[in-house]
Amino acid sequence: MSSESHEVTDTPLVTVIIASYNHARYIEASITSVINQTYKNIELLVIDDGSKDDSPAVLKRLQEQYGFDLRFQANQGLARTLNDAIARAKGDLIVPFGSDDIMLPHRIATQVQYMNGKPEVGICSANIETIDQDGKVMGAREQRNRNLPFRRLDFDDLFLDRKPGPMAATLMLRREALEKVGGFNADIRLEDVYIELSIARAGYFIDVLGEVLAQYRDHPTNTFKNGRFMVDNVLRTFAVFSDHPQYEQVCMKFRNSMVLKYANRDKALSREILSEIPLRYWNKKTLRGMWRMAWA
């Protein structure tokens, strides 16, 4: 992107995109956390993706109060919705934000300051604090991503799972990097994993700050709780990068982890995944998963 059309300043415009689907219970807290940012040069685009709950009424009330850009559409899915919003966004920094999550007040200011003068960083992320569906901070056991140190990730760090990855609730994307990889892939429904890998493979770094900048809401309809969806879409995402020399090992390592993860929760899924792992790729997680399926 030419420097003439987008001059670098200390307070660049940040476009926050909230795509909401059936989150009437949570959407007000999400939107007001953006409105209340200490950083003020923010463009907020909110899209209701065909909600069937009370979301439209809540959003209209909030739009009248705060004056953000609000659009309603028939359900298109998150990737298409994000691409459409990015096409009309004016910011050089793009923040896709969950309609069930909450930003801490200094989040945008902290990340903008960090991204300034670092064109090699395509994505800035940070740590998260997990809250429950009522907004209460969850116990220490659920806070695996609260106290992680700063890390810089390249493609192999991410693809080979060498370091803890970025948190979806804290992503700030450089528009130039998004455009370089063609935006989100409408055929892949784990949008964050795909865009992180794509931008890293394009040669950018992903820097994850070692502080909490958002609250991630754990509730019954979180995507990650749908086991089959997660397994299918992670593997579909990995397939985009199948030219990597360790592609097969990466897929098998992931499958082994899923055998163990779902051995108690969904034995049928765990057995199905196990059947896709050749004996030579079995590891300790495979065996622990098998033991759980048999005895737990």
Side-chain angles (χ1 to χ4, degrees), residues 121-123 155 173-174 177-179 181 194-206 241:
V121 179
I123 301 176
F155 179 78
L173 313 172
R174 198 175 292 283
L178 268 171
E179 291 179 347
V181 302
Y194 170 81
I195 206 66
E196 291 157 10
L197 287 167
S198 295
I199 286 176
R201 189 159 80 161
Y204 292 93
F205 290 114
I206 300 175
F241 310 96

Side-chain angles (χ1 to χ4, degrees), residues 98-141:
S99 52
D100 48 355
D101 298 328
I102 296 173
M103 294 186 183
L104 298 193
H106 61 288
R107 180 223 160 141
I108 299 295
T110 301
Q111 290 183 291
V112 167
Q113 183 179 13
Y114 182 81
M115 293 279 271
N116 272 334
K118 298 183 182 71
E120 75 279 8
V121 179
I123 301 176
C124 178
S125 178
N127 291 339
I128 58 170
E129 178 175 71
T130 305
I131 58 176
D132 67 15
Q133 57 188 329
D134 298 316
K136 296 175 185 173
V137 176
M138 298 181 76
R141 191 175 174 187

Side-chain angles (χ1 to χ4, degrees), residues 46-63:
V46 180
I47 307 97
D48 184 88
D49 193 30
S51 291
K52 296 176 175 62
D53 64 2
D54 293 334
S55 294
V58 175
L59 289 170
K60 285 174 185 173
R61 172 174 58 79
L62 292 169
Q63 196 276 337

